[in-house]
Amino acid sequence: MDILVILIAFFVLFIFTAIPIKISANILNIEGATIGVCIIAVILSIIASILATLFIGEGVFPSVIAFIITGIFFSWLFKTNTVTGFVLAGISIGVQLILTFFIAGLGYALI
């Protein structure tokens, strides 16, 4: 049962976060933006957000730091310039934020 939950979580992560980054990378004409690289980018983005919250705390400042770290990761991972990395980071964080609000709203509706 636990393995099924983990597989479902990875599937949701794949559909709602990696696919928009893949589409955005194709729109921005980034070479070598495979699905595997997009999944790694999403995982690095989540890790950066968690670490910023753990080390700095909650609020706007850790979110800005996490965005900067994610932009640097994306620039390095996709082998592109800094501006394109930050655009992809903004898309990634935006999709994660929308997904979080959707899941929270769904949980609230089910109560």
Side-chain angles (χ1 to χ4, degrees):
M1 183 67 179
D2 292 335
I3 295 174
L4 181 64
V5 172
I6 291 172
L7 289 176
I8 291 172
F10 276 127
F11 182 73
V12 169
L13 177 75
F14 173 72
I15 293 297
F16 289 109
T17 57
I19 297 296
I21 292 178
K22 172 73 173 147
I23 293 170
S24 302
N26 284 338
I27 290 172
L28 295 171
N29 294 327
I30 297 175
E31 299 290 326
T34 62
I35 292 294
V37 172
C38 292
I39 290 173
I40 292 170
V42 167
I43 292 170
L44 287 176
S45 172
I46 292 169
I47 290 171
S49 178
I50 290 170
L51 289 177
T53 303
L54 286 176
F55 286 121
I56 300 172
E58 294 182 9
V60 176
F61 184 67
S63 299
V64 171
I65 297 299
F67 176 72
I68 291 170
I69 293 170
T70 301
I72 292 169
F73 279 154
F74 281 21
S75 298
W76 170 74
L77 193 61
F78 288 105
K79 296 176 179 71
T80 184
N81 61 12
T82 307
V83 174
T84 307
F86 279 101
V87 168
L88 286 174
I91 291 169
S92 172
I93 291 173
V95 168
Q96 290 173 16
L97 186 64
I98 290 169
L99 183 63
T100 302
F101 283 139
F102 177 74
I103 291 171
L106 183 63
Y108 180 73
L110 292 176
I111 291 179

